[in-house]
Amino acid sequence: MKNKMLKSVTTSLAVLFLLAGCGGSKDTAKKEEKKDTKASSTEVTTGASEKGYTDPKELKDEYDIVIVGAGGAGMAAAIEAKNEGKNPVILEKMPVAGGNTLKSSSGMNASETKFQKEQGIKDSNDKFYEETLKGGHGTNDKELLRYYVDNSADAIDWLDSMGIKLNNLTITGGMSEKRTHRPEDGSAVGGYLVDGLLKNVHEKEIPIFVNADVTEITEKDGAVDGVKVKVEKKEKEIKSKAVVVTTGGYGANPEMLEKEKPELKGYVTTNQAGSTGDGIKMIEKLGGQTVDMDQIQIHPTVQQDKGILIGEAVRGEGGILVSQEGKRFVNEMDTRDNVSAAENKLKEKSSYLIFDAGVKERVKAIDFYEKQGFVKKSDSIEGLAKELDMDEKALSETVTTWNKAVADKKDAEFNRATGMDHGLEKADYYAIKIAPGIHYTMGGVKVNTNTEVLDKDGKAIKGLYASGELTGGLHGENRIGGNSVGDIIVFGRQSGKQSAAFVK
């Protein structure tokens, strides 16, 4: 397979995706891309960064399996299909692989893993199941959820077997155990995961085409038989025995969002520009069923100027939220919907995420936030309050009270019980101004545990599979932080295996 050299490393592409279509202007995105490409043109993080995408001239007329979308789910599906001896191809409409996976920050949730056991963390699939069900207000598809939790540890092992090690554990809102798995150095999971998956895609010589916009899924005699794709301004029909759709949600499609929830008009989004619901629309045209389409997650910690998510790991490692008055107002480790609701009740409808040098050391993603200019800093709490135009005494008392709560392992104010391993006592001190933003679409295409797409009668559409954020049901009314990365790997793998079995 011929590879076209990428202009910059995966980390540079991640920056571009973080900035594009997420509240910042296109001009800003282009400037950042140019600046970052120049700065990092000589850097290489892994072998994946050295390799490019397949030349469009090599696109064939037929493959065993067409995979639409090159995010985490799509690449996981392709790798498993290849492992089963099939000939898959990945088609991605954006200029780079990664999708929303590139923007994932906190980690991947999994239970009963070898890394938990190594670190003395006692967890169970049943506890993971019950806490996720509670977080989704009991509305989750129970069969999908059961499959997810029971296969989550194996997914961690599978990634590890390919050199993608997620052995640094933290915690997210709505969870009682450290089951959020991160890269060893505590960095954001998204870029690391995409880089590792892309490396394996290349090593297995799976063709991956970018700027390849699939416009239609075709069918014949009641079964899916390929796709229509636009490449280099030309439309081409590709035949296949199965199609796997992994195109993500619709968090960057204002029209779809407003149709489902008019009250979200004007909200900034954390989603990359390609998350426009294309796969959902194409599957609906084939008679596919959708579920929970009005369930759209608002995330409480979003930087508003550029629409960038400030990862839940910052709170999981000890950060707190304070109002402009310098006071805590919520259990920071409650579920995302509850924290967002509390924030929206504040006069300013925004707040500050406060943390110290210890949190910064444990959450490497903060380095990126700092480079973007989001972070205020001081060598004292009082100095930080001045930077934020906040009452110095109020913020100082808030932090002192919090540190005592950590020492006593008892939060009398808001009953927070997790993310309390460390107090905020190590200078320097930091703050990021945040407010709620559109983050994730829980609704989408209805699938079964084999990732077969179901029609309106509940029957599987022959040869059609889907996984990742474009599917609905797993998360119910509220997604737990860290479960989306688990979702794309567990069900991405399943869609690769099942589509390969169908082809056989």
Side-chain angles (χ1 to χ4, degrees):
M1 180 184 74
K2 297 177 183 177
N3 284 317
K4 185 178 179 181
M5 295 297 286
L6 287 175
K7 289 183 179 179
S8 61
V9 298
T10 302
T11 48
S12 302
L13 298 175
V15 171
L16 172 60
F17 261 60
L18 284 164
L19 293 169
C22 301
S25 71
K26 290 181 181 178
D27 289 341
T28 302
K30 287 177 182 175
K31 287 175 185 175
E32 291 295 334
E33 179 191 12
K34 185 176 180 182
K35 180 175 72 175
D36 202 78
T37 299
K38 185 178 179 182
S40 59
S41 59
T42 59
E43 299 171 9
V44 176
T45 53
T46 75
S49 303
E50 298 173 305
K51 297 184 177 181
Y53 306 113
T54 314
D55 190 318
K57 295 183 180 66
E58 295 186 22
L59 185 60
K60 297 176 182 176
D61 295 328
E62 187 171 352
Y63 295 88
D64 291 336
I65 302 166
V66 169
I67 295 162
V68 189
M75 288 192 282
I79 291 167
E80 286 289 38
K82 186 74 171 186
N83 288 343
E84 295 293 325
K86 298 303 155 197
N87 174 33
V89 62
I90 306 173
L91 304 176
E92 167 60 50
K93 75 171 183 179
M94 300 301 284
V96 294
N100 260 358
T101 307
L102 265 178
K103 305 193 76 178
S104 301
S105 179
S106 294
M108 171 177 165
N109 287 350
S111 51
E112 297 186 19
T113 71
K114 63 182 180 183
F115 297 129
Q116 285 181 314
K117 291 167 186 172
E118 285 172 5
Q119 296 174 38
I121 297 166
K122 295 180 179 178
D123 197 5
S124 73
N125 292 344
D126 288 344
K127 184 185 282 189
F128 186 15
Y129 175 92
E130 292 299 334
E131 290 177 358
T132 302
L133 189 62
K134 182 181 178 183
H137 310 147
T139 62
N140 314 63
D141 183 309
K142 295 179 177 60
E143 289 184 10
L144 291 178
L145 179 56
R146 190 75 246 179
Y147 184 89
Y148 167 42
V149 300
D150 288 345
N151 288 276
S152 61
D154 185 57
I156 291 289
D157 291 342
W158 182 73
L159 290 172
D160 191 31
S161 74
M162 298 189 295
I164 304 169
K165 187 180 291 292
L166 301 177
N167 62 343
N168 185 320
L169 298 174
T170 189
I171 197 164
T172 57
M175 299 283 100
S176 67
E177 302 292 347
K178 287 187 176 182
R179 62 173 68 103
T180 308
H181 294 63
R182 302 182 292 171
E184 196 159 25
D185 65 356
S187 60
V189 71
Y192 175 76
L193 184 60
V194 168
D195 207 37
L197 290 171
L198 192 55
K199 179 176 183 287
N200 281 274
V201 164
H202 287 312
E203 287 177 351
K204 292 180 182 294
E205 297 188 343
I206 299 168
I208 176 169
F209 297 89
V210 295
N211 297 310
D213 187 8
V214 173
T215 58
E216 185 181 339
I217 301 166
T218 59
E219 61 180 338
K220 183 179 180 182
D221 300 328
V224 164
D225 74 338
V227 300
K228 289 181 181 177
V229 59
K230 194 175 287 184
V231 181
E232 295 184 329
K233 298 181 180 179
K234 295 178 183 177
E235 189 166 83
K236 181 181 178 73
E237 191 161 344
I238 298 173
K239 293 299 179 184
S240 66
K241 300 178 181 71
V243 174
V244 179
V245 188
T246 63
T247 50
Y250 49 97
N253 187 323
E255 290 77 20
M256 286 184 75
L257 291 166
E258 194 176 339
K259 176 188 172 187
E260 300 297 344
K261 279 202 169 181
E263 63 268 30
L264 296 181
K265 185 177 181 178
Y267 267 65
V268 69
T269 181
T270 67
N271 289 254
Q272 60 98 9
S275 296
T276 51
D278 301 356
I280 297 172
K281 295 175 195 172
M282 287 189 288
I283 287 172
E284 281 187 304
K285 285 183 180 177
L286 293 173
Q289 185 182 163
T290 57
V291 61
D292 295 341
M293 285 294 286
D294 62 341
Q295 298 304 318
I296 298 163
Q297 183 168 72
I298 306 303
H299 196 288
T301 56
V302 177
Q303 199 281 338
Q304 298 292 295
D305 295 333
K306 293 180 179 176
I308 292 178
L309 175 78
I310 307 302
E312 211 150 320
V314 180
R315 285 172 283 150
E317 289 297 324
I320 61 173
L321 291 172
V322 303
S323 66
Q324 186 63 53
E325 295 177 345
K327 298 176 182 179
R328 287 178 68 216
F329 57 93
V330 70
N331 170 1
E332 295 88 351
M333 297 305 290
D334 203 342
T335 53
R336 291 171 171 182
D337 53 346
N338 289 339
V339 178
S340 295
E343 205 165 25
N344 277 329
K345 288 178 183 176
L346 296 174
K347 179 183 175 183
E348 297 81 9
K349 298 190 184 299
S350 63
S351 65
Y352 289 94
L353 182 55
I354 306 293
F355 53 98
D356 70 351
V359 174
K360 188 172 184 289
E361 289 168 6
R362 295 187 294 276
V363 185
K364 297 301 180 184
I366 293 170
D367 294 339
F368 171 76
Y369 308 146
E370 202 166 31
K371 287 176 184 175
Q372 294 300 309
F374 302 157
V375 184
K376 298 285 187 181
K377 170 185 173 183
S378 178
D379 60 3
S380 69
I381 290 294
E382 291 78 10
L384 186 64
K386 283 183 180 178
E387 287 281 335
L388 306 177
D389 196 22
M390 191 179 286
D391 186 278
E392 296 171 40
K393 184 179 178 183
L395 184 59
S396 181
E397 287 178 354
T398 294
V399 173
T400 299
T401 301
W402 169 249
N403 288 339
K404 186 176 186 306
V406 171
D408 296 343
K409 297 297 178 190
K410 184 177 176 62
D411 176 19
E413 288 186 292
F414 297 102
N415 296 315
R416 175 169 165 176
T418 58
M420 298 179 69
D421 293 341
H422 309 275
L424 301 177
E425 300 174 312
K426 187 175 182 180
D428 291 329
Y429 298 93
Y430 305 86
I432 302 176
K433 187 174 183 179
I434 46 85
I438 293 165
H439 181 52
Y440 192 87
T441 50
M442 275 82 71
V445 176
K446 188 169 180 61
V447 295
N448 58 24
T449 55
N450 286 331
T451 69
E452 295 171 301
V453 174
L454 305 181
D455 65 17
K456 291 177 174 60
D457 295 323
K459 295 178 181 177
I461 298 174
K462 287 183 69 176
L464 184 60
Y465 300 82
S467 53
E469 193 178 347
L470 93 155
T471 64
L474 174 64
H475 307 293
E477 293 178 356
N478 179 64
R479 179 175 69 81
I480 296 293
N483 277 357
S484 61
V485 179
D487 176 10
I488 61 175
I489 300 302
V490 169
F491 288 104
R493 292 183 67 198
Q494 178 72 326
S495 58
K497 290 177 181 177
Q498 294 299 325
S499 59
F502 177 81
V503 169
K504 284 181 182 177

